[in-house]
Amino acid sequence: QSVSTNMGLAPLLCSFDNAGDLPLMEPGITYYHNSKNILFSDGWSHEEESHRWTDGVRSSMLIKINKSKLCAPLINISGSVLGMQNIEVLVDGSSVFLGDLSGDVTLTMRGKSNTDIGSNIVNIELVLPGAHAPGNGDTRKLGFALRSFKFECAQPSKDTDLNH
């Protein structure tokens, strides 16, 4: 017995926040906090005029990249930190930064593993155990205000196994 839906009649009525549907992020281009090339999945607040706050102690964002060669992801994140925060950044589950930060910051981090040729979804997570309400009546647990993001494709290191 076949099952039919109305998707053939109205495919635009159903859309999901799916990383596979993201537009490709081009290496070397700066994307901002309101970009449609970044899927702000868990732990992010709403878009504000110049930034987007993390909301809670763990925030994830997904990007879709397409590479014509094997590379090691090089990621730049710019924003502001609420007070002094201990921040860990993970790329696809591997820690690439851990430290105490405050004020305006730009982090440049290299992924620990090379990504394959073709289209890939990359998961970037910010872990902020000290996120807190700012004390001005806002009840969100804020930590980092993202302003911009850039992905670049660095050459793989020579001591990395390229045949994984």
Side-chain angles (χ1 to χ4, degrees), residues 9 21 53 56 118 124 131 145 153:
L9 301 173
D21 297 333
W53 281 106
I124 297 101
C153 193

Side-chain angles (χ1 to χ4, degrees), residues 82-155:
L82 178 63
M84 176 67 73
Q85 296 276 340
N86 180 268
I87 297 177
E88 182 175 20
V89 180
L90 297 100
V91 175
D92 289 333
S94 295
S95 182
V96 295
F97 176 84
L98 176 62
D100 293 329
L101 299 172
S102 65
D104 291 338
V105 297
T106 298
L107 298 173
T108 301
M109 302 152 291
R110 184 175 180 156
K112 291 197 172 184
S113 63
N114 296 321
T115 56
D116 295 323
I117 295 169
S119 180
N120 290 278
I121 303 299
V122 179
N123 182 22
I124 297 101
E125 294 178 274
L126 282 72
V127 180
L128 304 114
H132 61 278
N136 61 0
D138 188 337
T139 59
R140 295 175 295 168
K141 292 178 78 175
L142 308 180
F144 183 77
L146 176 76
R147 280 194 302 269
S148 66
F149 178 90
K150 181 166 62 170
F151 162 81
E152 295 185 78
C153 193
Q155 291 299 316

Side-chain angles (χ1 to χ4, degrees), residues 7 9 28 37 45 58 61 77-78 92 110 116 119 128 131:
M7 284 303 294
L9 301 173
N37 292 69
S45 187
R58 189 176 198 103
M61 58 188 203
I77 299 176
S78 293
D92 289 333
R110 184 175 180 156
D116 295 323
S119 180
L128 304 114

